[in-house]
């Protein structure tokens, strides 16, 4: 499709039959329980964390925890991160004439989304997510939202993933191609991709490929996928998920940050390296939520409020006419993950691919001075 210049497909629901619902009563009962949980939980309720500041609310929180990677994972904290925080962004959106909050999907109660613009409402960009702001911002030593917005806009135009692009620019910076913090030069790298120059063709292949091209060994990736916005040295559970999820380094696959940092879904000590069980349970539950069609952000509420979780299962039963219970969630999650693991095995992946890059085990991260000290057998215990 890309080679034919196809940019998008519009699906027009006019006259379509809609979704068949096997049991309307059970479905409505289920979604009412989900609605109640979402409107009660501090993270998801109207005026709550996600609704007020979007996912970027995490910048200050993870920076405070010393786990916000700076300049290609060379430090876990920087006071300038406040400039690109969710709080600073919400102010700038108000001033510049953007939109916040906004629902990216009709009927969403949480409404974490937004429209970022330049002053005067110009050049709108879809939501500047926490991950994107981190990847294109502090991971590249860039601490202003205007530049992050421009880089994000370029990624959207070109169809490149913001996390992978940020990791790639940071690795290129580490390799000496441009300096950390060089905003204009970073934007020029996006032009290289746009113009399909030889350099652009290297960069667009991602951080692992770029690391090889420039002789950089400090490349944050698992199974070829660049790391998201949490350093696994001071927050070990998320590192266990990066290492073991069949997806490659994917924070959403088992979001251990919830219990380790936010106290959501229980509490876990972020420094405790025994995290196989926590990561596994989260990965199984996430596989089910992702398959249900619900936005993953409902997880914050339903991990804490049992009726919300029941509501998710009931709404699925209402649509499908099944009689699943909450106890079926880990069983179905395991079936999904087993399918993914079987795919990976057939593609040649083994347990040696369930490891983080060496420098996370060897280099201490400031300011916590932690390394990733989760033993291999703990990683192998996950699945
Ligand atoms: S559907 Fe999910 S991502 Fe979209 S606005 Fe709602 S909570 Fe945010």
């Amino acid at each position: 499709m890309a080679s034919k210049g196809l940019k998008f497909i519009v699906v027009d629901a006019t006259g379509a039959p809609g979704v068949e619902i096997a049991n309307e009563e059970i479905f409505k009962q289920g979604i009412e329980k989900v609605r109640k949980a979402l409107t009660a939980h501090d993270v998801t309720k109207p005026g709550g964390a996600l609704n007020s500041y979007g996912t970027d609310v995490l910048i200050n929180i993870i920076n405070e925890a010393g786990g916000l990677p700076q300049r290609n994972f060379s430090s876990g904290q920087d006071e300038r991160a406040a400039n690109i925080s969710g709080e600073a962004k919400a102010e700038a959106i108000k001033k510049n004439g953007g939109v916040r909050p906004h629902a990216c999907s009709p009927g969403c109660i949480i409404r974490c989304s937004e429209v970022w613009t330049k002053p005067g409402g110009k050049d709108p960009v879809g939501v500047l997510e926490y991950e994107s702001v981190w990847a294109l911002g502090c991971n590249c030593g860039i601490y202003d939202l205007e530049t992050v917005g421009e880089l994000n806009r370029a990624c959207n135009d070109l169809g490149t993933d913001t996390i992978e692009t940020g990791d790639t620019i940071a690795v290129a910076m580490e390799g000496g191609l441009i300096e950390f913090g060089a905003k204009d030069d970073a934007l020029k790298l996006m032009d290289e991709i746009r113009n399909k120059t030889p350099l652009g063709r290297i960069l667009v292949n991602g951080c692992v490929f770029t690391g090889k091209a420039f002789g950089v060994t400090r490349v944050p990736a698992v199974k070829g996928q660049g790391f998201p916005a949490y350093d696994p040295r001071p927050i070990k559970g998320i590192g266990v998920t990066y290492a073991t999820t069949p997806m490659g380094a994917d924070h959403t696959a088992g979001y251990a940050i919830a219990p380790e940092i936010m106290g959501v879904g229980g509490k876990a000590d972020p420094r405790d390296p025994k995290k196989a069980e926590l990561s596994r349970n989260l990965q199984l539950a996430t596989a089910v939520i992702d398959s249900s069609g619900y936005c993953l952000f409902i997880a914050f509420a339903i991990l804490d409020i049992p009726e919300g979780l029941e509501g998710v299962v009931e709404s699925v039963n209402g649509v499908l006419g099944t009689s699943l219970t909450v106890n079926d969630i880990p069983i179905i999650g395991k079936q999904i993950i087993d399918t993914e693991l079987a795919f990976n095995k057939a593609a040649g992946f083994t347990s040696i691919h369930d490891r983080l890059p060496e420098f996370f085990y060897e280099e201490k991260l400031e300011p916590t001075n932690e390394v990733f000290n989760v033993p291999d057998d703990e990683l192998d215990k996950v699945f």
Side-chain angles (χ1 to χ4, degrees):
M1 291 196 296
S3 72
K4 291 184 168 59
L6 183 62
K7 297 295 183 192
F8 56 86
I9 297 173
V10 175
V11 180
D12 181 356
T14 312
V19 176
E20 255 179 58
I21 296 179
N23 187 328
E24 193 91 27
E25 200 182 322
I26 299 281
F27 174 67
K28 282 196 175 143
Q29 178 183 306
I31 56 172
E32 178 55 17
K33 286 184 185 173
V34 178
R35 188 195 65 75
K36 268 195 183 150
L38 294 178
T39 49
H41 196 279
D42 284 344
V43 176
T44 54
K45 68 185 182 187
L50 283 173
N51 181 257
S52 300
Y53 304 115
T55 51
D56 201 28
V57 69
L58 284 164
I59 287 276
N60 283 337
I61 297 169
I62 306 299
N63 195 40
E64 182 67 31
L68 185 69
Q70 313 289 322
R71 300 171 294 280
N72 197 31
F73 291 78
S74 55
S75 165
Q77 203 171 59
D78 193 301
E79 59 185 21
R80 292 170 292 175
N83 300 341
I84 54 173
S85 64
E87 291 85 339
K89 181 155 58 80
E91 279 297 310
I93 288 173
K94 215 192 278 173
K95 208 170 86 200
N96 291 346
V99 181
R100 153 143 293 288
H102 168 265
C104 83
S105 183
C108 173
I109 291 171
I110 304 172
R111 298 198 305 146
C112 77
S113 184
E114 68 197 12
V115 181
W116 167 265
T117 65
K118 285 182 187 162
K122 285 201 195 104
D123 292 345
V125 187
V127 53
L128 299 193
E129 299 281 7
Y130 164 67
E131 298 293 333
S132 313
V133 169
W134 159 77
L136 302 165
C138 45
N139 192 40
C140 296
I142 293 172
Y143 299 92
D144 82 82
L145 284 167
E146 288 69 28
T147 307
V148 169
E150 282 305 282
L151 288 166
N152 202 137
R153 188 174 164 81
C155 289
N156 292 355
D157 280 352
L158 297 167
T160 63
D161 178 75
T162 52
I163 299 179
E164 191 67 40
T165 303
D167 280 328
T168 301
I169 295 174
V171 165
M173 287 170 161
E174 171 116 13
L177 185 66
I178 60 173
E179 296 288 315
F180 280 107
K183 305 182 221 180
D184 293 342
D185 290 343
L187 282 162
K188 279 184 199 148
L189 293 186
M190 299 309 292
D191 288 337
E192 299 279 345
I193 295 175
R194 191 184 302 275
N195 296 328
K196 299 180 187 161
T197 64
L199 174 57
R201 284 165 189 260
I202 291 171
L203 298 171
V204 83
N205 272 292
C207 66
V208 170
F209 194 95
T210 299
K212 283 183 183 153
F214 291 97
V216 177
T217 52
R218 296 181 75 263
V219 177
V222 172
K223 302 183 182 80
Q225 175 155 295
F227 273 29
Y230 313 89
D231 199 298
R233 285 166 281 189
I235 319 172
K236 322 279 184 198
I238 197 70
V240 174
T241 295
Y242 291 169
T244 59
T245 163
M247 295 283 293
D250 174 10
H251 59 299
T252 69
Y255 192 62
I257 298 299
E260 290 187 295
I261 301 291
M262 300 163 75
V264 167
K267 269 197 166 53
D269 174 5
R271 305 284 196 276
D272 180 1
K274 288 208 173 319
K275 290 285 166 54
E277 195 183 344
L278 177 80
S279 176
R280 181 196 314 118
N281 290 342
L282 286 165
Q283 290 193 52
L284 300 184
T286 303
V288 174
I289 296 174
D290 282 347
S291 307
S292 74
Y294 275 108
C295 170
L296 184 56
F297 294 159
I298 67 162
F300 296 112
I302 65 166
L303 283 173
D304 276 344
I305 303 173
E307 294 77 22
L309 185 59
E310 264 170 42
V312 169
V313 175
E314 282 170 10
S315 63
V316 170
N317 282 338
V319 175
L320 300 177
T322 44
S323 48
L324 301 167
T325 69
V326 167
N327 294 335
D328 289 312
I329 291 176
I331 299 166
I332 298 170
K334 187 72 173 45
Q335 289 166 355
I336 296 165
I337 300 265
D338 280 348
T339 308
E340 296 177 358
L341 290 171
F343 179 96
N344 278 7
K345 195 173 169 199
F349 287 93
T350 67
S351 62
I352 62 160
H353 299 103
D354 290 346
R355 303 288 182 264
L356 300 190
E358 263 175 22
F359 76 96
F360 288 97
Y361 296 89
E362 292 167 355
E363 283 180 24
K364 288 183 179 172
L365 184 76
E366 290 178 354
T368 55
N369 286 322
E370 288 285 320
V371 294
F372 188 70
N373 58 352
V374 177
D376 288 353
D377 61 351
E378 184 73 9
L379 296 174
D380 291 338
K381 261 198 308 206
V382 176
F383 296 121

